[in-house]
């Protein structure tokens, strides 16, 4: 890490990436900033509006502010719930992946499959699966006497979205953990066997510490993705019933593309982006520090 | 042979994983009359009608072709741009390197919903709107940083002595890069390409926002089944099943590197 040579000509290698990413990120971002400080009366007449959009957005008593605050809280709860479910489940699955033979490849391919399904199709699968008339899950739950209706009842809608996300993404955590587990040298396990360590203490003292680094990546990726979730809930519940599963991205798209309320949408975009960035910066700092500690 | 608890756990997990997928496959072989008629665990009158409809309808076929085109374009662009950059980040220190790296990664964290509206304006004004290029370039927003991140991990796993030895042996830099270096990180390139393919293939919000008719991705063709008269569940299911196939093929190719790949080359 430390002994990398200084060479400013390395910049030349980075320029192509810089140009493409700047084109795709900076120009659109400037458009957003532009909208966020202006207002319009239609006919493309824009005038300076200062920070009024932001004031409205960050004031929970106003209409848009209340809407934003509740979407934010909903999204945070959602992210935390799915992390609490997916992390332990993913680690458990990783520990159970066969050690050798053709079963290893087969398990890995099957576990990864949901990750490669287009998100709309993931939504469609669960939309169908959860229906009371033609879906197995909905029909089965109602048959055993549980009132379940994912388009009418907020609890059912939440449960469906959460289960869908667990179904969709646990595989990624399992694969990451599996990669971490495979990197543990056999000698560690042999030593543990000689010491007569129990299965639990092997997990607690050998496997979990070694998994730390991949788990930070897993949490970072999962948090990011769940904080921007849009497609799957939009197909399954459309953010409803009411506003029950209307997460940040769903709300933003409704405001931006549905109501074409540019000022509010732009201000919301910026605040949303900054929140994501701040949280991710914390994770990223932890991650690079772990990288360096390992490098020493 | 004794069956271990771990075998039971993994089998149970995989079974639960495949239940919803099985349900979709099951429905794709039924007629709509059978689907809405009564619940059954397998098609009693299996039909290929839904699949035939998709194969013979140019709109559906076009959807698949457009999607695969922009996904492949994006994968090629992302990986080839990311390679030199990842090499630079992995091998050298230069002014602003750490900030630049975080800035790149920050684009990975940008919610596509934030970019949907400005992207529409941007690509409309440069005349790329409703082309596969618009989607391919838009997906670079997150795929280029991702490819840089993955490749940087893989390249850092290769000792720098190799670069130095090659230089001593009289290899010019481009020749070294192509002849020696690329084969060494072939796995990394495969994994990076896999991830670019994956994220471009599954993304929908930008792909549908940036296209209307001529470059319509498969997912937006699918959403139009909703608005047609009544719900064509069988057709929707068949299309869903077909969209899983490219992913399954791609996973099969990288199955031996998939675990390390998901750890972004950092294990």
């Amino acid at each position: 890490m430390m002994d990398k040579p200084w060479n400013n000509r390395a910049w030349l290698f980075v320029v192509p990436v810089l140009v493409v990413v700047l084109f795709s990120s900076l120009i659109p971002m400037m458009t957003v900033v532009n909208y966020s400080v202006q207002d319009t009366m239609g006919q493309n007449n824009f005038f300076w509006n200062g920070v009024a959009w932001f004031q409205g957005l960050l004031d929970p008593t106003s209409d848009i502010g209340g809407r934003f605050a509740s979407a934010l809280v909903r999204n945070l709860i959602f992210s935390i719930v799915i992390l609490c479910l997916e992390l332990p489940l993913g680690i458990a699955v990783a520990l159970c992946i066969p050690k050798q033979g053709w079963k290893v490849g087969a398990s890995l391919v099957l576990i990864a499959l949901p990750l490669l399904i287009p998100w709309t199709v993931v939504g469609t699968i669960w939309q169908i699966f959860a229906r009371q008339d033609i879906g197995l899950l909905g029909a089965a739950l109602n048959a055993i006497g549980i009132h379940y209706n994912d388009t009418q009842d907020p609890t059912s809608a939440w449960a469906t979205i959460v289960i869908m996300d667990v179904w969709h993404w646990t595989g990624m955590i399992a694969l990451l953990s599996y990669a971490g587990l495979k990197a543990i040298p056999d000698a560690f396990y042999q030593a543990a066997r000689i010491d007569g360590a129990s299965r639990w203490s092997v997990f607690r003292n050998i496997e979990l510490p070694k998994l730390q680094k991949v788990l930070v990546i897993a949490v970072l990726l999962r948090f990011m993705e769940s904080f921007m979730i849009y497609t799957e809930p939009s197909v399954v519940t459309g953010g409803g019933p009411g506003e029950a599963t209307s997460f940040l991205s769903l709300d933003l798209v409704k405001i931006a593309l549905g109501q074409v309320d540019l000022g509010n949408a732009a201000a919301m975009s910026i605040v949303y982006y900054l929140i994501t960035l701040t949280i991710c910066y914390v994770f990223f700092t932890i991650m690079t520090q772990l990288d360096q500690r390992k490098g020493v | 042979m004794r069956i271990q608890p771990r075998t039971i756990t993994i089998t149970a997990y995989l079974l639960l994983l495949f239940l919803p997928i099985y349900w979709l496959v099951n429905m794709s072989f039924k007629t709509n009359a059978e689907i809405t008629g009564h619940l059954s665990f397998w098609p009693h009158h299996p039909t290929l009608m839904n699949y035939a409809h998709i194969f013979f309808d140019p709109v559906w076929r076009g959807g698949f072709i457009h999607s695969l085109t922009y996904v492949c374009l994006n994968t090629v662009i992302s990986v080839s741009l990311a390679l030199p950059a990842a090499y630079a980040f992995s091998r050298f220190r230069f002014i602003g390197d750490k900030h630049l790296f975080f800035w790149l990664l920050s684009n990975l964290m940008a919610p596509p919903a934030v970019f949907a509206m400005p992207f529409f304006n941007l690509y409309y004004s440069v005349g790329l709107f409703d082309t596969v290029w618009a989607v391919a370039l838009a997906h670079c927003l997150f795929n280029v940083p991702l490819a840089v991140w993955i490749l940087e991990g893989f390249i850092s796993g290769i000792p720098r002595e190799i670069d130095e030895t090659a230089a001593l042996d009289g290899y010019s830099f481009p020749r070294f890069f192509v002849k020696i270096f690329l084969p060494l990180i072939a796995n990394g390139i495969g994994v990076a390409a896999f991830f670019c393919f994956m994220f471009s293939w599954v993304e929908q919000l930008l792909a549908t926002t940036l296209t209307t008719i001529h470059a319509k991705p498969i997912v937006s063709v699918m959403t139009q089944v909703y608005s047609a008269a009544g719900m064509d569940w069988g057709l929707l299911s068949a299309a869903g099943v077909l969209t899983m196939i490219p992913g399954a093929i791609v996973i099969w190719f990288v199955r031996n590197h998939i675990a390390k790949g998901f750890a972004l080359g950092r294990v």
Side-chain angles (χ1 to χ4, degrees):
Chain A
M1 264 294 181
M2 287 294 113
D3 57 351
K4 276 197 275 188
W6 272 90
N7 186 347
N8 277 324
R9 277 185 307 173
W11 261 98
L12 290 178
F13 284 165
V14 188
V15 167
V17 162
L18 205 62
V19 171
V20 169
V21 179
L22 273 179
F23 177 75
S24 310
S25 86
L26 195 68
I27 300 176
M29 210 57 214
M30 286 322 292
T31 322
V32 175
V33 171
N34 209 6
Y35 282 138
S36 76
V37 290
Q38 299 189 68
D39 199 356
T40 178
M41 294 297 193
Q43 283 128 20
N44 259 337
N45 285 322
F46 284 90
F47 54 86
W48 177 252
N49 194 29
V51 292
W53 295 120
F54 290 96
Q55 277 169 345
L57 190 75
L58 296 175
D59 173 16
T61 52
S62 71
D63 250 7
I64 184 78
R67 194 170 158 180
F68 179 68
S70 57
L72 181 64
V73 170
R74 255 195 304 269
N75 215 149
L76 282 173
I77 295 176
F78 175 73
S79 294
I80 291 165
V81 167
I82 58 115
L83 275 174
C84 290
L85 290 173
E86 287 172 16
L87 270 182
L89 188 60
I91 297 172
V93 171
L95 287 170
C96 291
I97 290 175
K99 291 261 189 276
Q100 54 215 345
W102 62 271
K103 285 186 202 150
V104 184
S107 310
L108 292 179
V109 170
L110 294 178
I111 288 172
L113 191 63
L115 301 171
L116 270 285
I117 301 175
W119 294 345
T120 322
V121 180
V122 171
T124 310
I125 291 176
W126 281 87
Q127 184 198 26
I128 292 174
F129 197 58
R131 277 182 72 101
Q132 294 81 59
D133 50 352
I134 60 171
L136 186 61
L137 179 71
L141 283 178
N142 281 307
I144 58 171
I146 298 172
H147 174 71
Y148 172 89
N149 187 329
D150 66 319
T151 49
Q152 303 289 321
D153 169 34
T155 322
S156 307
W158 260 84
T160 315
I161 302 282
V162 168
I163 294 170
M164 175 172 68
D165 202 79
V166 171
W167 178 87
H168 189 181
W169 288 107
T170 301
M172 192 184 77
I173 299 196
L175 290 170
L176 268 164
S177 312
Y178 176 72
L181 287 173
K182 272 196 46 165
I184 303 175
D186 246 0
F188 281 62
Y189 291 108
Q190 281 159 12
R193 213 173 303 132
I194 292 166
D195 290 348
S198 67
R199 183 71 194 85
W200 169 250
S201 73
V202 169
F203 176 69
R204 180 70 195 77
N205 297 314
I206 299 179
E207 290 172 334
L208 205 54
K210 287 278 174 191
L211 282 180
Q212 197 184 27
K213 210 170 115 188
V214 279
L215 288 181
V216 174
I217 300 180
V219 172
L220 173 70
L221 291 175
R222 271 323 293 131
F223 180 83
M224 251 157 55
E225 214 69 62
S226 65
F227 206 63
M228 325 177 197
I229 190 167
Y230 169 79
T231 311
E232 302 94 313
S234 93
V235 173
V236 177
T237 63
E243 297 278 295
T245 54
S246 188
F247 301 119
L248 283 170
S249 279
L250 284 140
D251 221 24
L252 179 56
V253 170
K254 259 185 237 166
I255 296 172
L257 300 176
Q259 305 166 5
V260 203
D261 185 351
L262 296 179
N264 274 324
M268 188 169 162
S269 295
I270 288 171
V271 176
Y272 183 9
Y273 189 32
L274 288 179
I275 295 173
T276 325
L277 213 55
T278 315
I279 299 174
C280 289
Y281 187 73
V282 175
F283 280 119
F284 184 72
T285 315
I286 298 174
M287 203 172 69
T288 38
Q289 272 168 5
L290 286 176
D291 257 354
Q292 268 159 5
R293 213 190 303 160
K294 198 192 166 198
V296 172
Chain B
M1 203 180 88
R2 205 169 62 91
I3 298 173
Q4 290 181 327
R6 47 186 297 154
T7 318
I8 301 171
T9 318
I10 189 93
T11 316
Y13 175 74
L14 289 177
L15 278 178
L16 287 178
L17 207 58
F18 274 82
L19 208 55
I21 296 181
Y22 170 73
W23 200 249
L24 192 77
V25 176
N26 176 19
M27 296 220 339
S28 73
F29 289 110
K30 293 178 178 177
T31 59
N32 276 313
E34 190 180 348
I35 290 169
T36 46
H38 62 281
L39 226 54
S40 64
F41 285 92
W42 60 88
H44 291 294
H45 310 284
T47 168
L48 285 174
M49 195 191 66
N50 297 315
Y51 289 98
H53 185 108
I54 291 171
F55 281 117
F56 294 116
D57 185 337
V59 177
W60 280 101
R61 271 209 317 261
F64 271 102
I65 292 166
H66 298 148
S67 286
L68 287 171
T69 317
Y70 71 67
V71 168
C72 293
L73 276 176
N74 172 270
T75 306
V76 172
I77 297 174
S78 301
V79 174
S80 46
L81 288 181
L83 259 173
Y87 183 81
F89 280 119
S90 158
R91 290 299 195 246
F92 302 113
R93 299 224 50 208
F94 46 93
I95 295 173
D97 54 353
K98 293 210 167 110
H99 299 100
L100 192 64
F101 199 67
F102 179 72
W103 172 74
L104 273 179
L105 285 190
S106 73
N107 289 298
L108 204 60
M109 298 150 193
V114 168
F115 285 89
M117 179 184 64
F119 266 0
F120 178 85
N121 292 340
L122 174 65
Y123 286 104
Y124 202 84
S125 59
V126 296
L128 283 176
F129 181 71
D130 199 19
T131 62
V132 286
W133 285 98
V135 187
L137 282 175
H139 285 176
C140 281
L141 174 69
F142 43 84
N143 272 350
V144 168
L146 185 72
V148 172
W149 198 19
I150 294 174
L151 287 169
E152 197 267 336
F154 274 90
I155 292 174
S156 297
I158 289 178
R160 207 170 50 230
E161 285 73 33
I162 291 184
D163 308 23
E164 285 153 10
T165 320
L168 287 178
D169 286 350
Y171 275 88
S172 68
F173 183 76
R175 202 159 143 248
F176 152 75
F177 200 81
V178 176
K179 288 265 177 188
I180 300 182
F181 198 69
L182 287 188
L184 277 176
I185 53 159
N187 289 345
I189 296 176
V191 167
F194 166 77
F195 271 85
C196 292
F197 184 96
M198 162 173 155
F199 279 108
S200 185
W201 178 247
V202 299
E203 205 280 337
Q204 184 232 358
L205 179 57
L206 294 178
T208 42
T209 311
L210 293 177
T211 53
T212 46
I213 303 157
H214 302 296
K216 195 154 57 175
I218 182 65
V219 284
S220 27
V221 182
M222 280 181 72
T223 47
Q224 272 148 22
V225 175
Y226 293 79
S227 46
M231 275 288 219
D232 198 339
W233 294 113
L235 194 60
L236 194 64
S237 308
V241 172
L242 289 176
T243 60
M244 291 183 209
I245 293 171
I249 295 171
V250 175
I251 301 183
W252 184 253
F253 279 119
V254 295
R255 67 188 180 285
N256 295 322
H257 310 292
I258 202 171
K260 193 177 181 201
F262 271 89
L264 308 174
R266 275 172 177 70
V267 179

